[in-house]
Amino acid sequence: MNQYLIPANSKRSMLILGLFNPIDLVIFGVGAGLTLILMMIVQAETINDVLVIVTPVLITSVMVMPVPNHHNIWQLTANIYSFFSNRRTYYWRGWCMLNGEEDGKKQ
């Protein structure tokens, strides 16, 4: 008989380097690319200019940074948006209820 044991971290094996989804790398790549373009176009003379130029890569780095109990800030933000923008009535059907009835009685 085939009995397989699935490790607790099997979901992490589906991530790139165990941390990132492909969309995370795209988001970071866009920020890094925009920063490189700004570095080629803008002549930085003061520290404020440098901060403005580096802002896209800093923001995208923070967005894809891993945080506990969530994949990253981007996923946390998407979960918060989904919570506030979707319906709030959650239906639950477990093994003790059949179509809203418990023990064959209507509630």
Side-chain angles (χ1 to χ4, degrees):
M1 176 161 314
N2 292 333
Q3 293 183 0
Y4 297 103
L5 179 62
I6 299 173
N9 63 352
S10 64
K11 293 274 185 182
R12 287 190 72 151
S13 66
M14 296 170 28
L15 301 174
I16 298 169
L17 301 176
L19 295 173
F20 305 107
N21 284 325
I23 189 69
D24 298 334
L25 297 180
V26 169
I27 291 170
F28 179 75
V30 168
L34 188 58
T35 299
L36 287 174
I37 290 170
L38 287 173
M39 288 173 79
M40 290 187 277
I41 294 174
V42 178
Q43 294 294 323
E45 296 177 2
T46 65
I47 192 72
N48 290 337
D49 294 340
V50 173
L51 290 176
V52 168
I53 291 171
V54 182
T55 298
V57 79
L58 292 176
I59 290 173
T60 55
S61 296
V62 169
M63 287 179 70
V64 299
M65 175 181 63
V67 293
N69 302 325
H70 287 280
H71 174 65
N72 53 32
I73 302 292
W74 175 252
Q75 186 65 44
L76 176 64
T77 306
N79 289 344
I80 291 170
Y81 174 76
S82 174
F83 176 77
F84 286 115
S85 65
N86 292 335
R87 66 180 171 90
R88 299 264 178 98
T89 305
Y90 300 105
Y91 298 102
W92 179 82
R93 178 188 282 178
W95 57 270
C96 60
M97 295 185 82
L98 298 172
N99 297 328
E101 299 174 9
E102 186 173 356
D103 297 331
K105 295 183 262 182
K106 200 77 162 160
Q107 291 189 22

